[in-house]
Amino acid sequence: MKKIVIIGGGAAGPKTAAKAKRMNPENTVELYTDENLISYSACGLPYFIEGTVKNINQLIIRTPEDFEKQGINVFLEHKVEKIIPEKKCIIVNNKEISYDELVICTGAELIKPNIKNIDIDGVYYLKKIQDGIKIKEAIQEAKKVIIIGGGYIGIELIEAFVENGISVTLVENSDRMMKIFDSEFSDMIKNHILERDRQWVDMHFNQEVEEFFADERGKFIKLKTKSGLELEADFCVIAVGVRPNVALAKDAGIKIGITGGIETDSSMRTNIENIWAAGDCTEEHCLITKRPVYVALGTIANKEGRVAAINVTNCPKVCERFDGILGSAITKYFNYTIALTGMNAQTAAKIAQKHDLQPISATVVKKDKAGYMPDSENITIKLVADKKTGKLLGAQGVGTGDVNKRINTVTSALQSGLTVEEFLHLDLPYAPPYSSTIDILLTAAYRLDAQIKGKE
């Protein structure tokens, strides 16, 4: 029998706890978190703010009582102060808690920009349940809001606010939004939002916020950028990203990787014996470049938590592996889908010399179904490949049609290491309500194949 201690109650921690207890009910499993709840979907918070999710409790996947019924001891509002590997214990409230196996699932922490008066009332973030509740309350009497950051959360919040009749000003310190995409796709996303909701949405790029201002009650009323631009609103949401929360691990001598996340092997084991890590506090391995990357996504956290649970239960024998990621991601703006997997063309070009690549790409705009079907919609797909080896490197897709299944297909191809030639021979299903006779993915693959063979 083992005592398995888990630090963190976001996605990876509860997954590790539940799986470890199911695998061997005889083990003692304890989970410590500094929050007042665990196991909730932070990804659903924009949709709670929007109103699609009616009750915040719908985002709570399992309550502490659910875990207790399973025999897992959950300690809410218990901040772990220190890890002492040589004594195989953690310090909580000045008390030593021993472990046989320790799993660090401390997640990510918000990036707080260097802005004067950043902590005034009316400036919000969106990471925890309470954040969502505060913003939901704030929109009840608001007419205008500012969002700082043009990433996934930024887009989802624009939708949430527009749906509630609130004018939105987006402020981004770079020259475009959704920088994870190639620039022409970033432009398509921006243009779609503005074409659909120009009366509600305003965007400012290459603007770095310098200072927040408050009224006589101490509540946010406006901001000023370094260029001198001043923007007023009822409140502001900062959504500039996250970074791995590794202070506890670093202090314990656990190796931190080049991305800033905890370095683990494919079993989720750290460099210190009997200590493992999973979720947004860890760095991942890119299946294409074979290099470390940092991607904070709930899907990855859950998979890593599962692997950690299996291996801590069976330790010293390793029974499960997490070999890496492609960085696949998806979101939407109302009925407009935005998705990608693998590398974009700009990233491939940057690393081409170092990784001996010759990146090529093909972009196709086409109906997602047979053109005569009444619900057919245009989608844009871009495939990226290496001309030298013929291997696929990535895909991006946007549009009001069925983008997600195309990106899912490319994800499977990338995971399998398919070449363009192998990909274009895929036996994709066809019927008019689902695809054109030659699917848009195959059209893009044919164009890549022509480039590889020098016919284009």
Side-chain angles (χ1 to χ4, degrees), residues 395-413:
Q396 299 157 80
V398 295
T400 51
D402 200 348
V403 170
N404 64 314
K405 77 176 184 182
R406 270 77 184 191
I407 296 300
N408 287 346
T409 300
V410 180
T411 298
S412 299

Side-chain angles (χ1 to χ4, degrees), residues 253-307:
I254 294 166
K255 187 174 182 182
I256 306 301
I258 61 172
T259 67
I262 297 171
E263 183 179 299
T264 70
D265 62 16
S266 60
S267 70
M268 309 314 301
R269 192 194 308 265
T270 71
N271 62 305
I272 295 181
E273 191 175 0
N274 304 114
I275 299 182
W276 315 68
D280 291 352
C281 60
T282 67
E283 68 178 14
E284 287 77 38
H285 177 78
C286 176
L287 293 171
I288 299 174
T289 66
K290 313 302 181 187
R291 297 284 296 165
V293 291
Y294 179 69
V295 179
L297 288 173
T299 51
I300 298 169
N302 273 277
K303 292 172 188 174
E304 290 181 344
R306 175 184 174 275
V307 171

Side-chain angles (χ1 to χ4, degrees), residues 40-51 53 56 59 126-133 156-157 160:
Y40 60 87
S41 174
C43 300
L45 289 171
Y47 306 104
F48 166 70
I49 295 167
E50 181 182 36
V53 176
I56 195 69
L59 300 182
L126 186 61
K127 187 174 186 294
K128 300 180 179 181
I129 287 283
Q130 286 302 317
D131 298 328
I133 293 171
E156 291 164 5
L157 284 175

Side-chain angles (χ1 to χ4, degrees), residues 330-371:
I330 189 167
T331 191
K332 72 179 186 72
Y333 185 75
F334 290 96
N335 66 334
Y336 189 81
T337 301
I338 303 162
L340 85 168
T341 186
M343 275 196 290
N344 64 32
Q346 290 167 340
T347 301
K350 285 179 184 177
I351 69 168
Q353 187 172 357
K354 184 176 181 181
H355 291 270
D356 194 27
L357 299 174
Q358 190 176 343
I360 56 173
S361 64
T363 302
V364 177
V365 181
K366 197 173 181 179
K367 296 290 185 183
D368 63 337
K369 306 171 180 65

Side-chain angles (χ1 to χ4, degrees), residues 30-217:
E30 295 181 353
L31 187 149
Y32 293 83
T33 177
D34 57 2
E35 293 190 61
N36 62 358
L37 49 78
I38 62 170
S39 192
Y40 60 87
S41 174
C43 300
L45 289 171
Y47 306 104
F48 166 70
I49 295 167
E50 181 182 36
T52 303
V53 176
K54 303 300 182 185
N55 190 314
I56 195 69
N57 291 327
Q58 292 176 261
L59 300 182
I60 298 174
I61 300 162
R62 295 181 71 192
T63 66
E65 291 75 22
D66 293 331
F67 285 92
E68 296 284 353
K69 288 176 184 176
Q70 193 182 343
I72 298 166
N73 301 315
V74 176
F75 297 88
L76 301 176
E77 298 180 320
H78 277 63
K79 184 176 176 61
V80 178
E81 298 149 12
K82 194 175 183 64
I83 300 169
I84 308 177
E86 58 272 20
K87 295 179 71 174
K88 292 182 70 174
C89 76
I90 60 174
I91 305 297
V92 183
N93 297 333
N94 296 317
K95 180 182 176 183
E96 289 189 3
I97 308 295
S98 66
Y99 64 81
D100 294 313
E101 305 290 342
L102 177 68
V103 188
I104 302 171
C105 303
T106 46
E109 60 186 6
L110 291 162
I111 295 173
K112 293 182 71 172
N114 184 23
I115 300 172
K116 189 176 179 180
N117 302 322
I118 195 169
D119 293 321
I120 62 174
D121 187 23
V123 175
Y124 303 107
Y125 301 87
L126 186 61
K127 187 174 186 294
K128 300 180 179 181
I129 287 283
Q130 286 302 317
D131 298 328
I133 293 171
K134 288 177 182 178
I135 295 172
K136 182 78 168 179
E137 291 172 350
I139 68 174
Q140 303 308 312
E141 297 180 359
K143 293 182 179 179
K144 191 170 185 179
V145 60
I146 295 171
I147 300 170
I148 301 176
Y152 287 99
I153 296 297
I155 283 182
E156 291 164 5
L157 284 175
I158 295 174
E159 176 183 321
F161 295 138
V162 168
E163 180 68 11
N164 282 275
I166 299 171
S167 295
V168 183
T169 300
L170 177 73
V171 180
E172 169 60 51
N173 66 1
S174 72
D175 61 350
R176 59 193 175 97
M177 66 193 310
M178 296 300 281
K179 292 173 287 186
I180 196 170
F181 286 79
D182 285 327
S183 58
E184 72 272 24
F185 275 73
S186 297
D187 287 342
M188 282 187 271
I189 296 165
K190 177 194 72 174
N191 292 339
H192 174 81
I193 293 172
L194 291 178
E195 286 168 10
R196 185 190 188 279
D197 292 310
R198 190 176 299 276
Q199 72 275 30
W200 294 103
V201 181
D202 186 26
M203 297 183 181
H204 297 273
F205 297 97
N206 294 311
Q207 295 288 345
E208 188 173 349
V209 179
E210 182 178 63
E211 186 174 0
F212 291 137
F213 296 88
D215 60 17
E216 63 278 1
R217 299 171 299 164

